Amino acid sequence: ESEAWAILDPNSSIYMPLVLNAGEQRQEFYVRPVAPTPSSSSQSSPGDGAGDSKKKAPKAQPPPPRFVHGWARINQNRALTQSQRQLLRSPAAREQQRHLRNSYQFLRCKGAGGPSGPDFHLNVEGATDPETSLQCYRFLPVVVMKSLLPDPVEIEWGRGHNAGARAEVEVVAPGGERDLHTLDPSEAFTVRLRLRSIGGAFSRPVSLPPAIQFIRDAKVSGSGDGASSQRRCVSLSIYDGDNNELRLEVELKITALKVMVCVSAPYWIFDTTGLNLSVSEDRKRLCPKRIMHGRPEELKTLEDEGQAVEHAEMFSFSAASDYPKFFIHSNPHPASKPKFPLPRCPGSVTQGKQLDGLAYALKGSGSYTFQRSERLLYHYSRMVLSVGSCTILTTKAIASIDSKRLQKTVLLHDVLRAVHKRSGPLNSDQLVVLLKDGSRTIFDMWAGDAVHFFAAMVNYICNQSLQGNNVSIMRSDWSQDPITADSVGTVGALSLKALHSTMTSRYKAQYEVGYSITTGSGPWRQVAMISLVPRYFVMNNTEHWIEIHQKRTVVADTKTAIKPEGSQPFHWPCQDAVKLLRFRCKGPADGTGAKLEEGWKWSSYFPVNKPSDHKIRVCNTRTLESKTARVEVRSSGPTLFVVVSFIEGASDVVLPYRVENRCTLDAFHVRQIASPAQNQPGDSCAAFRRNGWINVQPHTHVPFAVDDVTMPALFEVA
């Protein structure tokens, strides 16, 4: 009878009438899966054309259902007595309804056998409605695989005790699920994982208990529903090409009579600093990084679409780790990754601020002539800071000087490779420079660590695109303080000190990184989300280009330009200088920015290490004009935003001071006390204004902002 059976779509319900043949006293229900059918393509009739456009095409008939499994019988629900119905009508006894349900039942639909027809397993829960005596059946999968990883994962599973059993592979999207209907719930099974974004090999198998045993244990303990479901966790390790380990968690939990096998990483790290950070729990072992496949527009997708999550790196701790703490350090971007080891600069090699004096001494003695835009990087001599006999490395060449005369020089663009050649105890080590034309040049240096360092630096410069000045991030040392991964709800900041300077600056930078630790939402609520962001972010809210500069550093090496209405992360150009900033306005560049007269001075230095609001007066030495700038340091999580703007005349921003002249006839000048004092009374008015004096006429008042926020707010009147 056609009314005696129906096809039930996934995640849907249907009502079925009870059909009994004559003389039957009991009803029986059976279930079996419907095999997927290929979609039938619509076929057009041979006479279709312009004249037949108004004719309606015949409606395609759905293909008949296809079955490859046998029927499985469902046990009949128990009927409710009149006393049970009366009891369940009261709200206080609603909780007792679950005791009147039939016991759950596992069904096996026999398949044809072989790979194309394995047995089909499902779970059936039956209940009887106390009001209408309606018998309800709910069909559930027994085992469900769920992925809580940012990338699609391949899950291979098979029987645990049968070595010859066939293994099956399922691909699960991020946040997606796969029902394992062909898995026998009465047998133990093994699971292996593969993440193509980490490595190409499957992990070692991990054994899991039979699903039926797990569900029965949960029923006995009374934790078979809701958030109090029984859980069991095992660890599974995968490795990348460099043998870096990532430990994933495989968690079994029972929910609504089905076993969920959830695969997750304990920590997700989101790096938006642009520093190409690496993470390690002991400053030695690294965590594997994802290799994104596909176009960028395909990777920027939402989590609910089941595709890759951009910027997320998975992290875990090893089994030997006692505390969940990790360290970070920066790396050059992959395009500029050094191919040769880059050691620390030894004490026998001179670097930093002392190079300026050495460069002037070399130029003054005629030992070496620096070309345009050429800068001294490193200096070595047996006598400290000697320019008579030394070996130097510049941004364009490596040279040897003896008795204040240039002996050897090699341009870096002609170098193929540099090699450190060790000698005996009575001879000096040699730096052998192999040139592209096949020849070689040898530099003698007595300190072995200096030779090794010079060879590494020459290889680094020649094999990277540093001569184009397009590399601004250098490798840094590991952070001194660790990040506690389990401290959910905390924010903080770390400093990373660069090991070497770039080709555009003589200073070694200090990278500032902020972090915040939260938990995910929804199914990711058990995953710790660690966000690494820039500590400082400079925002230019003016219509002019501005330059920012760190105190006690050379302006040409450390200034940073920011376009109008633009913003960018900021890191300290020099790790040893004072952590104070200043800014000045500049004219248009690259076709953007408003016109600006020349002569605007630098503003005073101001701190940015905590939230603050500074009003600073900036002056023009040519036009004697002055403006009031506002520098706000706003806090948003671990990031401090440094906002630079100007206070216009119609603004409602109140300046910190107001000078009133209540005299009848006398005008005076006022300014912040400078050290040393300049232009005492008696000089011209133009000279007064040029040196920061403000004229206040009788019976007037002038809003006033200090010139230097780092100095005391003391004023002098003339």
Side-chain angles (χ1 to χ4, degrees):
E1 296 291 344
S2 60
E3 293 83 0
W5 64 274
I7 295 179
L8 186 63
D9 295 329
N11 298 319
S12 62
S13 60
I14 194 173
Y15 289 93
M16 288 187 61
L18 181 60
V19 180
L20 294 177
N21 295 327
E24 290 186 357
Q25 300 296 327
R26 56 181 298 181
Q27 61 271 20
E28 295 179 350
F29 292 95
Y30 298 85
V31 63
R32 68 175 176 179
V34 180
T37 57
S39 58
S40 57
S41 58
S42 58
Q43 299 178 357
S44 59
S45 58
D48 287 345
D52 301 331
S53 59
K54 296 183 180 180
K55 294 182 180 180
K56 294 183 179 180
K59 186 177 181 180
Q61 296 294 331
R66 189 168 61 94
F67 304 101
V68 295
H69 295 85
W71 292 98
R73 180 181 175 181
I74 304 174
N75 293 334
Q76 183 181 358
N77 294 342
R78 294 192 303 263
L80 296 179
T81 63
Q82 185 66 23
S83 60
Q84 290 175 338
R85 293 196 184 96
Q86 293 293 339
L87 178 63
L88 292 177
R89 287 193 179 98
S90 60
R94 287 289 183 180
E95 293 297 328
Q96 299 184 15
Q97 182 179 359
R98 64 186 183 93
H99 298 293
L100 299 176
R101 293 177 180 174
N102 287 343
S103 59
Y104 56 88
Q105 180 184 2
F106 295 100
L107 299 182
R108 180 199 303 266
C109 300
K110 295 293 293 183
S116 60
D119 294 346
F120 188 92
H121 302 271
L122 73 158
N123 189 7
V124 181
E125 180 189 21
T128 303
D129 190 284
E131 298 291 342
T132 62
S133 298
L134 183 66
Q135 298 187 24
C136 303
Y137 296 95
R138 184 168 59 156
F139 301 98
L140 302 169
V142 183
V143 180
V144 179
M145 285 286 185
K146 186 177 183 63
S147 172
L148 299 179
L149 301 177
D151 290 328
V153 58
E154 296 183 40
I155 302 177
E156 181 187 90
W157 56 271
R159 295 182 181 179
H161 302 295
N162 190 352
R166 180 179 57 88
E168 299 188 21
V169 179
E170 294 281 354
V171 179
V172 186
E177 298 180 357
R178 284 291 185 272
D179 300 337
L180 305 185
H181 289 291
T182 57
L183 174 63
D184 191 346
S186 62
E187 296 183 357
F189 62 102
T190 59
V191 172
R192 297 200 306 167
L193 304 179
R194 176 167 64 180
L195 279 171
R196 293 191 179 273
S197 60
I198 299 296
F202 276 96
S203 64
R204 292 183 178 180
V206 58
S207 299
L208 300 177
I212 292 181
Q213 177 184 348
F214 192 74
I215 294 177
R216 287 174 179 172
D217 294 342
K219 281 293 182 180
V220 171
S221 61
S223 60
D225 293 322
S228 62
S229 59
Q230 183 181 1
R231 289 180 171 88
R232 177 179 176 182
C233 294
V234 295
S235 297
L236 188 147
S237 299
I238 60 175
Y239 299 88
D240 62 358
D242 298 329
N243 204 30
N244 296 321
E245 180 188 11
L246 174 63
R247 299 185 69 195
L248 301 178
E249 292 183 354
V250 181
E251 179 186 18
L252 280 76
K253 59 182 180 180
I254 176 173
T255 304
L257 299 180
K258 60 182 178 182
V259 177
M260 300 289 298
V261 183
C262 301
V263 181
S264 62
Y267 305 97
W268 283 19
I269 297 180
F270 295 85
D271 178 16
T272 58
T273 60
L275 298 177
N276 193 23
L277 298 177
S278 295
V279 181
S280 174
E281 60 177 305
D282 56 359
R283 298 190 179 99
K284 297 179 181 178
R285 291 172 292 186
L286 299 178
C287 196
K289 286 193 173 184
R290 298 166 58 199
I291 302 176
M292 306 296 291
H293 299 282
R295 297 190 301 270
E297 59 271 13
E298 296 176 349
L299 302 177
K300 297 179 179 179
T301 55
L302 299 176
E303 296 172 350
D304 55 1
E305 294 181 1
Q307 297 188 17
V309 181
E310 194 182 18
H311 299 308
E313 292 290 346
M314 293 169 286
F315 178 73
S316 64
F317 293 94
S318 63
S321 178
D322 297 329
Y323 302 100
K325 297 181 180 180
F326 64 91
F327 303 85
I328 61 174
H329 77 85
S330 65
N331 294 283
H333 291 284
S336 60
K337 185 177 181 181
K339 300 179 181 179
F340 297 89
L342 192 61
R344 292 176 179 268
C345 185
S348 58
V349 177
T350 307
Q351 60 173 345
K353 302 177 182 178
Q354 296 176 332
L355 293 178
D356 292 337
L358 292 172
Y360 283 119
L362 290 170
K363 184 178 179 181
S365 63
S367 302
Y368 188 82
T369 302
F370 289 88
Q371 303 297 324
R372 184 177 180 181
S373 70
E374 186 179 7
R375 185 168 54 84
L376 181 62
L377 292 178
Y378 298 98
H379 169 274
Y380 166 77
S381 63
R382 297 187 66 181
M383 300 295 294
V384 180
L385 302 182
S386 172
V387 296
S389 299
C390 60
T391 303
I392 61 174
L393 177 63
T394 70
T395 56
K396 294 185 177 181
I398 179 173
S400 176
I401 299 172
D402 187 16
S403 300
K404 295 185 178 181
R405 293 184 179 181
L406 183 63
Q407 299 295 328
K408 304 173 185 178
T409 180
V410 175
L411 297 179
L412 294 181
H413 61 74
D414 295 333
V415 176
L416 178 63
R417 185 163 56 94
V419 180
H420 174 205
K421 184 178 180 181
R422 301 182 183 275
S423 300
L426 301 179
N427 299 321
S428 63
D429 285 10
Q430 293 180 341
L431 175 65
V432 182
V433 180
L434 306 177
L435 303 181
K436 296 179 180 179
D437 59 1
S439 60
R440 63 177 58 189
T441 303
I442 299 177
F443 296 86
D444 294 327
M445 302 171 66
W446 285 93
D449 56 353
V451 181
H452 181 65
F453 177 76
F454 266 65
M457 285 304 304
V458 170
N459 291 330
Y460 183 88
I461 296 174
C462 295
N463 286 273
Q464 314 306 318
S465 56
L466 293 184
Q467 297 180 4
N469 294 336
N470 58 356
V471 174
S472 58
I473 304 299
M474 299 295 292
R475 180 181 175 86
S476 72
D477 198 0
W478 289 100
S479 58
Q480 297 297 321
D481 300 325
I483 299 176
T484 304
D486 289 343
S487 300
V488 177
T490 61
V491 297
L494 297 174
S495 298
L496 308 177
K497 294 186 177 182
L499 298 178
H500 301 277
S501 61
T502 64
M503 296 291 289
T504 58
S505 174
R506 72 198 70 190
Y507 305 107
K508 293 185 290 185
Q510 178 174 311
Y511 307 122
E512 301 289 340
V513 179
Y515 65 88
S516 62
I517 305 175
T518 59
T519 57
S521 59
W524 287 272
R525 59 183 176 272
Q526 295 182 354
V527 179
M529 305 291 183
I530 304 173
S531 300
L532 303 178
V533 297
R535 174 61 173 171
Y536 298 107
F537 217 90
V538 181
M539 304 177 66
N540 179 12
N541 282 1
T542 70
E543 60 181 2
H544 309 287
W545 281 79
I546 65 170
E547 294 177 334
I548 55 177
H549 169 246
Q550 185 181 0
K551 189 176 183 179
R552 295 182 182 176
T553 58
V554 178
V555 175
D557 286 4
T558 61
K559 68 179 180 180
T560 303
I562 304 177
K563 65 181 181 180
E565 304 297 334
S567 61
Q568 68 180 48
F570 173 78
H571 302 283
W572 295 111
C574 180
Q575 57 188 244
D576 299 324
V578 181
K579 302 302 187 293
L580 295 176
L581 287 180
R582 65 176 179 174
F583 80 94
R584 71 177 176 185
C585 299
K586 57 179 295 187
D590 299 333
T592 59
K595 293 183 178 181
L596 187 69
E597 302 87 354
E598 296 183 358
W600 286 96
K601 299 193 303 182
W602 288 96
S603 70
S604 72
Y605 291 102
F606 50 86
V608 295
N609 59 340
K610 60 182 179 179
S612 56
D613 191 356
H614 305 293
K615 280 85 174 181
I616 308 173
R617 191 164 68 102
V618 293
C619 303
N620 190 311
T621 57
R622 293 189 178 184
T623 63
L624 305 183
E625 180 186 0
S626 64
K627 292 183 178 182
T628 303
R630 184 180 186 182
V631 180
E632 300 177 83
V633 182
R634 306 172 184 173
S635 176
S636 177
T639 303
L640 293 175
F641 292 89
V642 183
V643 185
V644 180
S645 60
F646 284 114
I647 301 177
E648 305 296 339
S651 175
D652 56 353
V653 178
V654 179
L655 298 185
Y657 306 99
R658 187 176 74 167
V659 181
E660 295 185 5
N661 185 357
R662 297 183 179 181
C663 300
T664 304
L665 300 176
D666 297 329
F668 61 85
H669 293 81
V670 64
R671 73 171 182 178
Q672 185 183 12
I673 294 180
S675 179
Q678 300 176 1
N679 289 42
Q680 298 301 319
D683 293 344
S684 64
C685 183
F688 268 56
R689 294 178 59 190
R690 185 176 297 108
N691 290 277
W693 295 91
I694 297 177
N695 182 267
V696 186
Q697 294 296 320
H699 297 287
T700 60
H701 62 85
V702 177
F704 186 75
V706 297
D707 297 324
D708 192 345
V709 296
T710 61
M711 299 289 292
L714 301 177
F715 306 97
E716 56 183 346
V717 180

